[in-house]
């Protein structure tokens, strides 16, 4: 069982590079769902593997053996090695659990703060008197679009419409929830932290495409995003504090996003199909392998417990 449980702990190191490739090759909405599902699934499998690695060593404790009505400890190798693995796994599990609890609490506090800020405004658009050009989507019920006077002055009227459509797409797609899932998954396994950047890129690309559709002009959307990012970068004014959950059009690799908007969609469909398929198959295979290994290990553990309880004969 112990050897099987190494797979969920090692597979994320293989899935992460493929996940990063997906953000560049798949359509943005597909990439968002696949990256989020993969991160959540691999995080759950790796956490489950750590928990299962604790059990064999724990059965060497009298109290645990009595609680489980075990006649003998689970036999899965040298007792010293099993106990050492259980101690190390338990420490890692406690550390991950503490980080996850802190992450959930931080996200919850950020969401409550964003909701309070959003509730103070009566309309969808909130204009802040601030010379620093900035614009972002503030999640809440309902969400708000926050833009500074500096950003409004930096863009033309059509460009402002495209920028607002971008931020509106973040709110409509509930993009902050996808970002939260991947962020929390990265707290469960270090390899999954590398999926935050490609997911952020996919989220911005999805909003870019929605903005281009809303204004029916891809070049206008690309120009609006590029000018907004340049204005924010060139401004010497001090930016106002942006809430932690806010998503902004000026975030991420703007030149890549602008280039993707200016590229023909026909090229997106006709080129790179093999790369897209390979990356998607790799990620799904890693997810299936990790989940399958965890389930197999859990089944083996169940059989081992029944043997230790004297209910079955060891094979």
């Amino acid at each position: 069982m112990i050897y099987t449980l190494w797979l969920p702990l090692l597979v994320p190191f293989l899935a992460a590079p493929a996940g990063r490739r997906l953000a560049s090759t798949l359509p943005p909405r597909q990439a968002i769902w696949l990256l989020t599902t993969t991160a959540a699934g691999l995080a759950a499998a790796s956490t489950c593997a750590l928990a299962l690695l604790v059990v064999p060593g724990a059965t060497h404790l009298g109290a645990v053996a009595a609680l489980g009505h075990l006649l003998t400890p689970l036999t899965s190798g040298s007792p010293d090695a099993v106990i050492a693995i259980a101690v190390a796994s338990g420490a890692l599990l406690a550390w991950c659990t503490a980080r996850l609890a802190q992450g959930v609490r931080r996200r919850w506090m950020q969401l409550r703060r964003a909701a309070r800020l959003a509730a103070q405004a009566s309309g969808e658009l909130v204009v802040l008197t601030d010379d620093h050009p900035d614009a972002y989507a503030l999640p809440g019920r309902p969400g708000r679009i926050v833009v500074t006077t500096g950003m409004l002055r930096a863009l033309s009227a059509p460009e402002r419409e495209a920028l607002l459509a971008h931020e509106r797409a973040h709110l409509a797609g509930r993009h902050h929830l996808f970002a939260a899932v991947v962020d929390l998954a990265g707290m469960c396994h270090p390899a999954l932290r590398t999926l935050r950047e490609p997911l952020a890129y996919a989220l911005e690309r999805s909003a870019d495409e929605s903005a281009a559709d809303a204004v029916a002009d891809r070049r206008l959307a690309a120009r609006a995003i590029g000018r907004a990012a340049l204005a924010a970068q060139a401004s010497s004014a001090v930016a106002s504090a942006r809430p932690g959950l806010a998503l902004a059009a000026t975030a991420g690799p703007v030149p890549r996003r602008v280039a993707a908007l200016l590229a023909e969609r026909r090229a997106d469909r006709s080129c790179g199909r093999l790369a897209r398929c390979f990356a998607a198959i790799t990620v799904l295979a890693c997810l299936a392998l990790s989940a399958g290994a965890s389930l197999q290990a859990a089944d083996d553990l169940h059989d081992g417990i029944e043997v230790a309880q004297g209910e079955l004969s060891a094979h």
Side-chain angles (χ1 to χ4, degrees):
M1 181 192 76
I2 288 181
Y3 300 106
T4 305
L5 288 174
W6 289 118
L7 285 175
L9 300 176
L10 296 176
V11 162
F13 291 102
L14 301 176
R20 292 194 296 270
R21 178 68 175 169
L22 284 176
S24 300
T25 56
L26 279 181
R29 289 180 180 84
Q30 295 180 18
I32 289 170
W33 279 102
L34 192 52
L35 286 171
T36 306
T37 302
T38 299
L42 293 178
S46 63
T47 304
C48 179
L50 287 177
L52 291 175
L53 283 171
V54 172
V55 177
T59 60
H60 287 265
L61 298 174
V64 175
L67 183 64
H69 306 290
L70 304 179
L71 301 179
T72 60
L74 297 182
T75 55
S76 54
S78 168
D80 292 340
V82 170
I83 293 173
I85 290 174
V87 170
S89 299
L92 285 173
L93 184 62
W95 180 68
C96 290
T97 302
R99 280 175 53 84
L100 191 60
Q102 291 175 356
V104 170
R105 182 179 181 277
R106 184 177 68 252
R107 286 278 175 174
W108 176 249
M109 296 300 293
Q110 289 175 345
L111 189 59
R112 290 187 62 184
R113 178 170 179 259
R116 286 196 299 268
L117 292 174
Q120 295 174 5
S122 57
E124 178 194 44
L125 182 63
V126 179
V127 179
L128 299 180
T129 303
D130 190 340
D131 290 335
H132 177 77
D134 198 8
Y136 52 87
L138 186 64
R141 294 187 178 180
R144 309 295 183 190
I145 299 172
V146 180
V147 62
T148 65
T149 52
M151 181 63 79
L152 293 177
R153 288 194 298 266
L155 303 179
S156 65
E159 289 167 350
R160 289 196 293 266
E161 181 183 355
L163 183 66
L164 295 179
H166 175 102
E167 304 302 347
R168 193 173 291 114
H170 279 316
L171 296 177
R174 309 287 287 174
H175 287 173
H176 66 285
L177 296 179
F178 294 98
V181 169
V182 175
D183 184 52
L184 294 175
M187 297 177 184
C188 298
H189 196 289
L192 299 177
R193 298 174 192 168
T194 60
L195 294 181
R196 296 172 183 172
E197 183 178 347
L199 176 73
Y201 174 74
L203 291 174
E204 294 303 328
R205 281 284 299 117
S206 177
D208 290 344
E209 292 294 336
S210 295
D213 291 340
V215 298
D217 189 339
R218 298 178 67 81
R219 297 187 67 85
L220 172 60
R223 187 168 67 249
I225 292 165
R227 289 193 63 182
L230 288 174
Q233 186 177 10
S235 174
S236 59
V238 179
S240 299
R242 183 188 295 173
L245 289 177
L247 295 168
T250 55
V254 174
R256 280 179 61 197
R257 291 165 49 203
V258 170
L261 276 172
L262 295 177
E264 293 290 336
R265 285 185 169 179
R266 292 190 302 272
D268 291 341
R269 288 195 296 265
S270 61
C271 299
R273 287 184 179 178
L274 182 60
R276 288 196 295 268
C277 290
F278 179 76
I281 290 172
T282 300
V283 167
L284 292 175
C286 288
L287 187 57
L289 180 63
S290 185
S294 297
L295 291 174
Q296 181 61 49
D299 186 62
D300 291 344
L301 177 63
H302 179 266
D303 291 343
I305 290 175
E306 288 188 335
V307 171
Q309 289 174 335
E311 297 180 9
L312 294 175
S313 299
H315 297 293

